[in-house]
Amino acid sequence: MENPENVIEVRNLQIDFHTYAGEVKAIRDVSFDLRKGETLAIVGESGSGKSVTTRSLMGLLAPNAVIKNGSIMFHGEDIIKKSEKEMQHIRGKDIAMIFQDPMTSLDPTMRIGMQIAEPLMKHKGLKKKEAIAQALEMLKLVGITNPEGRINDYPYQFSGGMRQRIVIAIALVCYPEVLIADEPTTALDVTIQAQILDLMKDLQNRIDTSIIFITHDLGVVAGMADRVAVMYAGKIVEYGTVDEIFFNPQHPYTWGLLNSMPTLDTEGGSLTAIPGTPPDLLDPPVGDAFAARSDYAMKIDTEKEPPFFKVSDTHYAATWLLHPDAPKVTPPAEIVRRQKKFAAMEKPEPPIKKETKE
Amino acid sequence: MRKYLLKRIFYLFLTLFIVATATFFLMKLMPGTPLQNEAKLTPSEKASILAQYGLDKPVWLQYLIYIGGIFKGSLGLSFQFSDQAVSYLIGSRMGPSMQLGGQAMVVGVIFGIILGAVGAIRKDTWADRLATVVSILGIAVPSFVLAILLQYYLGLKLGWFPVAGWQGFVYSILPTLALAASPLAETARFIRTDMVDVLSSDYIELAKAKGLSKFGIVYHHALRNSLIPMVTLIGPLAAALMTGSMVVENIFSVPGIGEQFVKSILVNDYPTIMGVTIFYSALLCLLLLLTDIVYGIIDPRIRLSGNGD
Ligand SMILES: Nc1ncnc2c1ncn2[C@@H]1O[C@H](COP(=O)(O)OP(=O)(O)OP(=O)(O)O)[C@@H](O)[C@H]1O
Ligand SMILES: [Mg+2]
């Protein structure tokens, strides 16, 4: 580990998928760290590689995936080099995962108590009875009312929000160091979403776990994450603290994402979707992959890939706009407004409460 | 539930009635008469025998008489076996048929599940292809061909098993194998398709994320979920076994209902043909009804969507 604060260090990860049409270059040189106890949000449009990145941490890539390059260091060892058997001892114990759709992610034929107990029996060698007893504790922890009465129920007897709580209980029952949540609230309605997010925050404090939180809903990120990584076309294009990404974004793609996000203080009519579609990853473009959709593209963007430019110690963005020789551009009005807010925040004041649905 | 059941039972009887009617008239279309040495009989002898069995009356009248008999609870008397009651005949021959059918079902379903599961787990590998070939063969090769092959090679050539007869368990092995082929193939095909689906579902993904081993995932999650819909296969499998038994019992000289049935057809033993047909239909209808009831009970449990609290 380069930094003892890090739980996971991903370096130069490159993943291709073999398909009949050719090699899909899904992850193209991705590096990031996950710090102890933090929540790292990975945001980006559909197909940007969020799920593939996190699945590689679990060793759960599709059979047609090839890891071309890179390393994923966890406890000083490279996960990529581990065998399936070794990964089975990590999954569910050290690194756990919550899935998107709680309606389909529980086994319909197994009592929920048993489903929660399973990881304990596998990883802690507990007998069924002890495991079920701990599962009961877990049910209480995730806020299922009358857990004694419900532990022998089947999934169909629970609502979507309750099921997601059960999925969370399964993921956290072994107190994992890392929790990967792949759009855990997308399938739920808004009020339930907020409850589930609160629950995750609460449990994170109790269990002391690091969370990788995947979403394409930036509104959720603000209340949830400590740091944000923005992905586009298989690359991370910008990363920084939540405040830096929300109020001082540098990459035109991040601008686009923020511009297309409704907020409480958005001035009327300034909501705009990013034009165009992401590039075909069978044949990714040279240079900055976002150039074709960007109003701020320069000649060099189509020729040479931008390196990461440092904005602050915690904030980096891969855009030529940050090159000292680049012409000064004015970001969209909404972004300028955010940057002004950020400048005010830079002064040692308590951070402004951001737009969350609390 | 009660109303549903009553309705189903009514339909069951309606079905049986239609089957009985259709069989009766079709049977009358078969060539020949129940008289065994017809050529030697004088016309008057013939007429008196036919009259004795009521066969001189017009067909519609015979039909009414037969149906009337059924409502009185009688399946009539057999022509060929010195006037034994058909119900007694079926009862006394039920043992071997049920034993064979049961054994074939158990062997077929168990090995079918294994074959289907292996195919699904090792999808698109040689193991999967082999399993597919086996199940296609099991469906395509008629049971009488398989029966004869088994009889010839394992019975006659190698002498491992008795060629025919019914004097203990070893005698049941070859006919069981011959009969089991079709349920085995059907089960394998069903389980493979079903399990491929199940294995790609979200809860299997979650099971993987729990760190369960391949075996644990299949054993604790995939298998159970694939087996539940198999309840619907019981009816078709039973039907396949019944038809299969007719040929297989004949080839191995098993004194079962199927053998009896084929003989009865050959000698135009009308009451026995009717009796066995009605008996088999009733059995099948009951199985289907039972299947539906069982499935209705477990269905809410396997529904993926739906709201609880
Ligand atoms: N098994 C696979 N075979 C081929 N291509 C794949 C496979 N899995 C993912 N991909 C491709 O990899 C890219 C990244 O996919 P990924 O699922 O990580 O996107 P995502 O960011 O999670 O999107 P979403 O928000 O829709 O979940 C996509 O272009 C996708 O088509
Ligand atoms: Mg995804």
Side-chain angles (χ1 to χ4, degrees), chain A residues 45-52 54-55 100 182-183 214-216:
Chain A
E45 283 168 299
S46 189
S48 54
K50 308 180 296 286
S51 296
V52 173
T54 47
R55 294 177 73 84
Q100 178 171 344
D182 194 344
E183 311 207 18
I214 298 179
T215 181
H216 45 236

Side-chain angles (χ1 to χ4, degrees), chain A residues 232-253:
Chain A
Y232 184 73
K235 284 176 177 295
I236 291 179
V237 294
E238 182 165 6
Y239 62 94
T241 65
V242 170
D243 288 341
E244 285 165 339
I245 296 299
F246 271 75
F247 296 104
N248 192 25
Q250 299 297 324
H251 199 286
Y253 179 62

Side-chain angles (χ1 to χ4, degrees), chain A residues 55 88 91-92 103-110 115 118 122-123 150 154 156-159 163 170, chain B residues 202-203 205-206 208-214 220-221 224-225 228 300-304 306-309:
Chain A
R55 294 177 73 84
Q88 284 172 9
R91 274 183 222 138
M103 298 315 272
T104 54
S105 47
L106 291 168
D107 183 339
T109 61
M110 192 184 267
Q115 299 199 45
E118 244 181 353
K122 162 89 190 180
H123 298 297
R150 315 252 13 212
Y154 287 90
Y156 79 93
Q157 292 165 293
F158 293 88
S159 63
R163 288 195 211 187
I170 293 172
Chain B
D202 286 353
Y203 56 86
E205 207 60 32
L206 184 81
K208 284 183 198 161
K210 284 177 178 177
L212 299 189
S213 64
K214 275 221 164 79
H220 290 295
H221 297 281
R224 196 170 1 183
N225 280 284
I228 287 175
R301 203 172 283 188
I302 62 164
R303 248 183 357 214
L304 288 179
N307 285 317
D309 38 1

